[in-house]
Amino acid sequence: MNTGDPGLCVLIVEDCDDDVVLLRRELKRAGFDLTWAQVQTAEDFKATLQSQPWDVVISDYKMPHFSAPAALDLLKQSGQDIPFIVVSGTVGEAAAVALMRAGACDYVMKDNLSRLGEAVRRELREAQDRRERLQAQADLERTRELLQLAIEGSGIGLWSWHIPSGGVWANERCIQLLGYDPATTDLDLTTIDTWRQRIHPDDYDRHQSLLQAHLAGLSPTFDCEIRLRHRQGHWIWVLDRGKVAEWDQADQPQRMSGTFTDITERKQAEEERHQAAAEILHNSLHDALTGLPNRTFLKQRLELAIQRSRRYAQAQFAVLFLDLDHFKVINDSLGHLAGDEILVSVAHTLKAMVRATDMAARLGGDEFVLLLEDLDSLQEVEVVAERLLGELQRPFLVQGRAMFLNASLGIVTSLAHYQDPTEPLRDADIAMYKAKARGRGCFVLFDPSMRQHVLDRLQLEQDLRQAIDQQELDLHYQPILRLATGQICGFEVLVRWHHPQRGLLLPADFIPMAEETGLIAPLDRWVLATGLQQLTTWQRHYPHLAHLALSFNVSPQALWGEDLMPHLQDLLAQTTLLPCCLNLEIAESTLIHDIQAIALRLQQLRDLGLSLTIDDFGTGHSSLSYLHQLPVSALKIDRAFVTTMETHRHSAKIVETLITLSNRLGLDAVAEGVETEAQNQRLRSLGCDLAQGYWFAHPLPAASAEQWLRAA
Ligand code: C2E
Ligand code: CA
Ligand code: CA
């Protein structure tokens, strides 16, 4: 076998074996490496045809039981495309033509057999060509199908626009995008105008100008995201994308085709991402509890305000630093929920007060800041400050109960020529502390000398921690007299601090700081213990004064703190004093809780046998209507009314009213701050029970106070 020759499988239809030999020889001579089979009947032909793939069929024209036309017929029926060559001695021209018509490929005469090799070769080539064409067609068909599937699967709509006529062809998907069923809708979407009408008005101009730019050859492709009106009225987002596909001879665009892709989901996701980003930004600049701008945001605004104030003289600003008085006490005793409720209410009040161009921010805790911009004058700031303090003094509803608040305000203005946003905040904070020291519920304008005060205050705090141990504290006693008899009935205990460097310090210099730092608790404990020791000594020396009483000031922290009751019980257990000789003065402004809580607390103290006085009465906004429910024995009229009662009719009226009120409720009225004989006389005539003040005696060291006892 000659393996170098192309293999050829040939099925020979022939009754004459000699002819078969001739055929095989001829094909071998032509260079084929043969595999062959011989058949003579229709049955054999059919069976052999199926038995293996054949490259060519070579058939005699006429045989006793079979013929070329019959074989050709069977081959066709089998559906196989195998070249069919007739090799015969005698065939008329008509028969040959008929055979060729029926699908035979070639006709070779037996006496010209040398042509056979060439004929086979050509037919093989043509058959191969036919097969390749068929394969290519099938491939194309499959590709088309796949493309169709891909387009349908991707939901892309296809369109084509004939520019001169305005006619539009759009596939079903385009119509489905708009919410219509292409099978049933009679919606006309066959012109460019019907499509344009569906574009969102806000997208229309952009779409048009991009399209015109593309038609004018300014962009290689047209690409535009637009909203189209859906059948149900809402808008869907589509990516409209296309390209001019045809031009006329004058190079004018004739046809444009492209796609519609539904990008609504992507757009919504983008929108959500934007919203989430905006929310994160908002959260980073706002306080979660109150929704007010936070410190970061405030600083950004302040930075701008500083820049503007440097550029334009009329763009002056002010910063109001606000701190709620005794907020810690409320928070600790009423709970954080109540505290939060108050902070939210305060935030509302602040927001309602400022103009849209101003800013109310929360720095944290109970610290708020107002930034007022474009101020005409400083007076304007003071008006706002007054109004603000007034607003905050109105009762706040907390857990359904009315409560009274107070705040201290520190103010700075851009006149100080700040460079950095931290500076006005720092100075306003300093001024705010000054306001607290001045007695709370007021505002203080910053002045640079206060900065030193802050440093001093820090030093003071450190010093006070040691003062108690180092015996630097001292008590002064201010006599309290019964006006009707002029007899002394007790003393108010007032603490003093002999500071090693700064000399004598009065309570205003250190009590507010002690309250803020918590140092007030050990201080008050020391005052109580020391005062009671002194009283025990005096009562021993002056037995006839067995009812001599001492009045102690109780700070709010102490009043609402948990230590007070056990500490008092301890003290009382260690002394022989009558508990009623121990009087606690509780400032009206301390009574910030609801009436039940206050009544309960005061009753606990009363149950120890102590007597109670409401101090600084008339300033704390407490409701007169519940006074009779409180187990107190005296009301101490605030010094401010007493000292001004001769000069201010209003004060005189208040003093008179408070005395009448005390008498009616069966309480002692105590006047403090009596400085003149006229005040003394007036109070007596009004029926005031008790009084103290410089007119009678200043607060005195124990030794001097004792003079009063000797004389009594
Ligand atoms: P307060 O309870 O209103 O005490 C009365 C204040 O008025 C005392 O000031 C006293 O010196 C002053 N005063 C007395 N008579 C007159 C007068 O005729 N005219 C004038 N203008 N003032 C008079 P002080 O001692 O400076 O105390 C100030 C505040 O400090 C007290 O006000 C009290 O709230 C607080 N405080 C004093 N000692 C203590 C203490 O030991 N513990 C606590 N928690 N607070 C104290
Ligand atoms: Ca007092
Ligand atoms: Ca007082």
Side-chain angles (χ1 to χ4, degrees), residues 349-378:
T349 307
L350 295 184
K351 232 185 332 203
M353 273 199 56
V354 296
R355 299 166 302 176
T357 49
D358 298 331
M359 179 184 259
R362 179 179 173 221
L363 292 193
D366 59 341
E367 292 179 343
F368 295 87
V369 166
L370 293 188
L371 169 62
L372 310 180
E373 294 198 64
D374 299 323
L375 294 171
D376 292 333
S377 71
L378 210 70

Side-chain angles (χ1 to χ4, degrees), residues 492-494 551-553 585 615-616 636 672 692:
E492 176 171 4
V493 179
L494 296 160
S551 294
F552 292 90
N553 294 289
E585 295 191 2
D615 200 358
D616 303 340
K636 195 182 258 195
E672 64 176 352
Q692 64 186 102

Side-chain angles (χ1 to χ4, degrees), residues 395-566:
F396 277 78
L397 264 188
V398 178
Q399 296 175 344
R401 300 154 173 171
M403 286 203 21
F404 295 93
L405 287 177
N406 228 336
S408 303
L409 266 182
I411 303 175
V412 296
T413 69
S414 47
L415 298 176
H417 302 298
Y418 290 110
Q419 304 287 323
D420 182 284
T422 55
E423 296 166 356
L425 287 179
R426 176 201 61 203
D427 288 352
D429 189 18
I430 292 172
M432 185 277 294
Y433 271 105
K434 214 57 199 170
K436 278 212 192 296
R438 281 199 192 154
R440 305 172 187 271
C442 63
F443 68 86
V444 165
L445 266 171
F446 176 77
D447 104 58
S449 69
M450 291 175 187
R451 281 194 201 123
Q452 188 53 43
H453 283 135
V454 175
L455 297 178
D456 293 348
R457 194 175 157 278
L458 274 175
Q459 184 61 47
L460 197 67
E461 184 188 331
Q462 282 178 15
D463 294 349
L464 183 60
R465 288 182 193 279
Q466 298 162 6
I468 300 174
D469 297 337
Q470 313 209 332
Q471 318 258 314
E472 289 169 18
L473 295 183
D474 181 23
L475 294 184
H476 279 203
Y477 301 88
Q478 184 173 39
I480 301 174
L481 301 122
R482 192 157 284 283
L483 277 179
T485 61
Q487 287 284 313
I488 181 162
C489 59
F491 297 97
E492 176 171 4
V493 179
L494 296 160
V495 70
R496 299 291 180 261
W497 180 7
H498 298 283
H499 191 279
Q501 282 88 42
R502 300 173 55 183
L504 179 72
L505 297 181
L506 290 175
D509 299 328
F510 59 92
I511 292 280
M513 178 265 287
E515 284 180 341
E516 271 148 33
T517 54
L519 285 171
I520 192 70
L523 187 142
D524 274 353
R525 272 205 296 277
W526 180 86
V527 171
L528 265 171
T530 313
L532 287 184
Q533 230 168 17
Q534 182 63 69
L535 185 60
T536 313
T537 313
W538 280 339
Q539 286 196 353
R540 219 177 24 241
H541 291 176
Y542 309 95
H544 63 291
L545 298 177
H547 286 277
L548 187 74
L550 284 190
S551 294
F552 292 90
N553 294 289
V554 178
S555 10
Q557 268 89 344
L559 178 66
W560 297 109
E562 286 170 6
D563 298 350
L564 183 66
M565 297 299 295

Side-chain angles (χ1 to χ4, degrees), residues 178-193:
L178 301 177
Y180 295 93
D181 179 353
T184 57
T185 183
D186 49 6
L187 180 74
D188 176 23
L189 287 171
T190 56
T191 66
I192 191 75
D193 286 338

